[in-house]
Amino acid sequence: MSEQRRGFLQGFAAYVLWGLFPLYWRLLEHSGAIELLAHRIVWSLISIALLVVVLRHFGQVRVLFAEPRRRWPLIAGAVLISVNWGVYIWGVEQNRVVETSLGYFITPLFTVLLGVFVLGERLRALQWTALAIAFVAVVGLTIEAGRPPWIAIALTFSFGFYGLAKKKAGAGALEGMAVESATMAPVALVAIVVMALHGQSTVTDHGAGYLVLVLLSGPITAVPLLLFGSAATRVSMTTLGLLNYIAPIMQFVVGVTLFHEHMSTMRWAGFGLVWIALVIFTWDGLVRRRRRTVVPDVAAAAA
């Protein structure tokens, strides 16, 4: 199997696992979002620590902790991804899986906007068009619901800024996640202890199977991230960008077909506009990439 094909399959598997997350969190409906988030952070750290030991990545992790220029973005990223996880779990608990999918549909567009205002990048006309259409969609969904889609907005902002922090840190998937988990684990552990002392802990009240599911939140978090990190080194960013849509599409389908969340005409229209924006955005990126590929080929042929 070629490296590119292996990378594609790893990326595909990562996004499929993320797309199935609503089904997993729904199995843990007896526990609150804060408690589940705390356990997810702690067991993620344990999973990542075991991988660091097995793969002998001590040196890389030590370097990240020792360099403030890379450490601080990862610490900021740890807070942002914790917010993202917590909001997502809460959204699933509140039967708003469709709205969580909206957040991840919009995230690629928001990431581009961050590139403009934070990194000084310039957008092309079609990219501005896609952003304008997405903005109209969010306004329409706000009018339909009588409130802004706060879950989607929180997921978009937290994950978008998380991606920016990761970019500035320039860390590998395993090493970066080790620093992030270690940053938030003490807070998560304190939360677990406090809830236990106040009789608010629920993870041991529903049998061994339920507890096992909670403990699996660590590997379930780590595995797709590591698959994604491995895929990112083997396939193009264009391929990763296209695979990116698998997870929110699956989440949307799960919310509508399995959890029977209501979709009004206005809501369908809003999502339709978001999908149109993404088609324009993706098409522009593919055309731009093709032109960059063709020009060097023509130059080489002429030489």
Side-chain angles (χ1 to χ4, degrees), residues 86-105:
V87 171
Y88 182 81
I89 295 170
W90 187 80
V92 173
E93 287 184 341
Q94 299 299 311
N95 299 314
R96 288 160 72 176
V97 174
V98 170
E99 189 174 334
T100 66
S101 74
L102 176 63
Y104 292 117
F105 276 126

Side-chain angles (χ1 to χ4, degrees), residues 179-202:
V179 174
E180 293 163 9
S181 300
T183 298
M184 298 304 297
V187 179
L189 192 58
V190 168
I192 291 172
V193 171
V194 169
M195 283 186 284
L197 291 175
H198 286 79
Q200 298 174 346
S201 177
T202 62

Side-chain angles (χ1 to χ4, degrees), residues 50 63 103 173 186-187 191 214 227 230 234 259 288 291:
L50 289 173
V63 167
V187 179
V214 173
L227 285 171
S230 182
R234 291 183 167 92
F259 297 160
R288 184 77 173 179
R291 287 175 181 171

Side-chain angles (χ1 to χ4, degrees), residues 209-234:
Y210 191 86
L211 179 60
V212 169
L213 283 175
V214 173
L215 301 183
L216 286 175
S217 62
I220 285 173
T221 297
V223 168
L225 281 172
L226 294 174
L227 285 171
F228 173 80
S230 182
T233 64
R234 291 183 167 92

Side-chain angles (χ1 to χ4, degrees), residues 76-211:
V79 175
L80 289 165
I81 198 61
S82 297
V83 170
N84 185 273
W85 289 352
V87 171
Y88 182 81
I89 295 170
W90 187 80
V92 173
E93 287 184 341
Q94 299 299 311
N95 299 314
R96 288 160 72 176
V97 174
V98 170
E99 189 174 334
T100 66
S101 74
L102 176 63
Y104 292 117
F105 276 126
I106 297 176
T107 296
L109 300 173
F110 178 69
T111 301
V112 170
L113 205 58
L114 281 179
V116 173
F117 291 106
V118 179
L119 303 178
E121 298 175 359
R122 306 179 81 177
L123 293 188
R124 297 178 294 277
L126 280 179
Q127 290 177 313
W128 280 116
T129 301
L131 287 170
I133 293 173
F135 178 77
V136 171
V138 172
V139 171
L141 290 169
T142 299
I143 294 172
E144 187 271 341
R147 56 165 179 79
W150 291 119
I151 291 177
I153 292 171
L155 292 174
T156 298
F157 274 65
S158 58
F159 201 77
F161 280 108
Y162 171 70
L164 181 64
K166 295 282 280 188
K167 182 178 179 64
K168 288 186 174 294
L174 178 59
E175 298 80 18
M177 193 175 175
V179 174
E180 293 163 9
S181 300
T183 298
M184 298 304 297
V187 179
L189 192 58
V190 168
I192 291 172
V193 171
V194 169
M195 283 186 284
L197 291 175
H198 286 79
Q200 298 174 346
S201 177
T202 62
V203 298
T204 59
D205 297 341
H206 304 284
Y210 191 86
L211 179 60

